[in-house]
Amino acid sequence: MAYGATVGRTNYRFDDLKTLLARATPARSGDFLAGVAAGSDAERVAARMALADLPLKAFLAEPLVPYEDDDVTRLIMDSHDAASFAPVASMSVGQFRDWLLSDAATSEALATLSPGLTPEMVAATSKLMRNQDLIAVGRKARVVTRFRTTIGLPGRLSVRLQPNHPTDDPKAIAASILDGLMYGCGDATIGINPATDSAARCLDLLTMIDDLRRRFDVPLQSCVLAHVTTLIQVMERAGPVDLVFQSIAGSQAANRSFGIDLSVLKEAHEAAQSLKRGTVGRNVMYFETGQGSALSAEAHHGLDQQTMEVRAYAVARAFDPLLVNTVVGFIGPEYLYDGKQIIRAGLEDHCCGKLLGLPMGVDVCYTNHAEADQDDMDNLLTLLGVAGCSYIMGVPGADDVMLSYQSTSFHDANYVRTALGLRPAPEFEAWLQRMGVMDGDARVRPALGAGSGALKLIEGVAA
């Protein structure tokens, strides 16, 4: 089915739904690389005009990736909740955007609606939104998950403590963990990207973190970001696996490039839940995504990269994760060229993930060859704090020496918490206060007197 609109004296025609969505997308380098972007601002405006008038239910009648060819499409279509969708079923994309910004779209209403929304509906609506719209809607959409800490509550911002090291040196990793804990970071997870993806190395790192957790009675969850099949092996060896990690994408072919399919994720999810290691909840999965991943695998099916990104959230939603993280600027300027594009993508991903019922975090990051700098990241970090982002990264010095990219530091986390009046997860905040690392006003104020909890933590990790 073709779609069209007129801007000025020019009539624009879009041959199918995927073309309409691509042309309506804000300009970004990845879509130009794929040859799907609008050729002019006027064409982009025309596509948005046509998209605004499109019924939401059109996405149920015209799959963007053929149902018979793609298990992600089948997951989206087969899991769609018609009853949840009913309140907005008569709306166009433009009307739905207006409703999301209205007082009727409360946090409770959005949570009820979420199972009835498909990724394509949500992606389409976001293309009609200004940045402030993405922030306003993202803030209203609240998703709370639990394992040993409770993540996503209003007024809270959690941090993944990311103590990576190029050689997985245990002492260096321990030093980074201590540094992060003393800045009040780690309540989302202590998550290590291993330099070597092996079951033995993964088991060693998990055991080290778990020993620290048990010794100091820290309410946190650990994760080694190895391949999901590696973590299955670790669980078979009775390793202390809290969270199972995997990078995911929005098509079957793209997930195949990661060495996974839905059945492998299901196996890992069931195995991790069977361990029953959580204390306040049973959300056990940690997924990472990023705009451009499907295109880089030549598995985007002619779709724009933002729509493909939101399709990945359908995969995540099927496994009730504790954490979902868009590593927004990590893939590079071929996909998001500069700070402006990275900021827009981060706000899109956060808002769209939340609307689909996911506990969204954002790795506020860029590669060293992108046209971006730390000021751009400060801006995005602040905007995400206002938007109610569930968690961010805490990297020593904001410079990941193993993955070679720039992210946010422990100091940055304290900045945004202080500036916006945000606190860590409640269980973790209580521990920080008990240890003398944080005061009653949620300020990091380590008490290092003789016998203090903070000093015992320093001495214990150093030993």
Side-chain angles (χ1 to χ4, degrees), residues 17 26-27 32 64-65 69 78 90 108 135 156 162 184 193 196 210 260 273 294 318 337 373 377 389 458 461:
L17 197 48
F32 286 106
L64 301 183
V65 181
D69 297 338
D78 295 349
S90 63
E108 294 76 18
I135 293 168
R156 305 280 176 172
Q162 184 170 308
N193 297 87
T196 302
D210 203 54
I260 62 166
Q273 284 219 318
Y337 180 72
D373 59 27
M377 299 306 103
C389 187
I458 293 171
V461 174

Side-chain angles (χ1 to χ4, degrees), residues 14 51 172 361 383 446 448:
F14 309 100
L51 185 60
L383 294 173
L448 298 178

Side-chain angles (χ1 to χ4, degrees), residues 332-407:
E334 299 84 0
Y335 306 96
L336 295 169
Y337 180 72
D338 57 14
K340 181 180 178 68
Q341 292 186 10
I342 292 171
I343 289 170
R344 172 71 191 190
L347 296 176
E348 287 171 346
D349 295 352
H350 174 260
C351 179
C352 291
K354 285 283 192 69
L355 284 175
L356 290 171
L358 293 178
M360 289 302 297
V362 178
D363 191 343
V364 180
C365 65
Y366 64 101
T367 58
N368 289 317
H369 62 309
E371 290 294 320
D373 59 27
Q374 208 64 43
D375 285 338
D376 295 312
M377 299 306 103
D378 287 348
N379 293 341
L380 178 54
L381 172 63
T382 305
L383 294 173
L384 287 167
V386 175
C389 187
S390 294
Y391 71 102
I392 58 170
M393 304 300 113
V395 177
D399 183 2
D400 193 304
V401 295
M402 199 277 279
L403 295 176
S404 298
Y405 79 116
Q406 307 303 311
S407 185

Side-chain angles (χ1 to χ4, degrees), residues 107-256:
S107 298
E108 294 76 18
L110 292 177
T112 301
L113 177 64
S114 179
L117 298 177
T118 70
E120 292 84 357
M121 294 174 190
V122 171
T125 306
S126 73
K127 296 176 193 299
L128 304 182
M129 290 180 167
R130 297 169 58 186
N131 284 6
Q132 68 173 236
D133 298 340
L134 297 170
I135 293 168
V137 174
R139 184 175 182 83
K140 289 196 289 186
R142 283 288 171 183
V143 181
V144 178
T145 55
R146 297 173 175 86
F147 189 78
R148 292 194 188 96
T149 60
T150 303
I151 298 169
L153 293 169
R156 305 280 176 172
L157 176 68
S158 295
V159 182
R160 170 191 159 191
L161 201 170
Q162 184 170 308
N164 298 343
H165 189 270
T167 64
D168 292 333
D169 184 321
K171 290 184 178 180
I173 290 172
S176 292
I177 291 174
L178 175 61
D179 190 20
L181 291 175
M182 294 299 287
Y183 276 101
C185 298
D187 51 332
T189 186
I190 295 179
I192 303 172
N193 297 87
T196 302
D197 192 332
S198 71
R201 179 61 58 84
C202 188
L203 180 58
D204 288 344
L205 293 173
L206 286 171
T207 300
M208 180 184 74
I209 302 173
D210 203 54
D211 288 347
L212 173 68
R213 176 187 69 81
R214 290 186 289 106
R215 181 175 181 182
F216 292 99
D217 194 25
V218 194
L220 58 77
Q221 41 277 337
S222 62
C223 183
V224 172
L225 282 67
H227 193 269
V228 62
T229 55
T230 302
L231 289 164
I232 290 173
Q233 293 177 41
V234 175
M235 287 187 281
E236 290 172 345
R237 299 183 186 184
V241 174
D242 292 339
L243 305 182
V244 172
F245 167 81
Q246 183 55 49
S247 294
I248 56 174
S251 73
Q252 180 175 346
N255 283 323
R256 189 182 303 121

Side-chain angles (χ1 to χ4, degrees), residues 16-19 21-23 25 28-37 63-66 69-70 72-73 120 127 249-258 290-312 331 334-335:
D16 53 29
L17 197 48
K18 68 171 64 176
T19 302
L21 286 171
R23 301 297 193 270
T25 304
R28 62 203 62 193
S29 53
D31 291 338
F32 286 106
L33 179 65
V36 302
L64 301 183
V65 181
D69 297 338
D70 186 78
V72 177
T73 298
E120 292 84 357
K127 296 176 193 299
S251 73
Q252 180 175 346
N255 283 323
R256 189 182 303 121
S257 75
F258 289 143
Q291 290 192 28
S293 59
L295 175 57
S296 68
E298 298 184 352
H300 62 296
H301 295 275
L303 289 170
D304 67 273
Q305 66 183 35
Q306 191 249 345
T307 299
M308 284 301 299
E309 166 74 5
V310 184
R311 281 173 56 93
I331 302 181
E334 299 84 0
Y335 306 96

Side-chain angles (χ1 to χ4, degrees), residues 5-12 42-43 45-46 49:
T6 300
V7 175
R9 297 182 179 179
T10 303
N11 297 321
Y12 291 90
E43 184 183 18
V45 169
M49 290 171 62

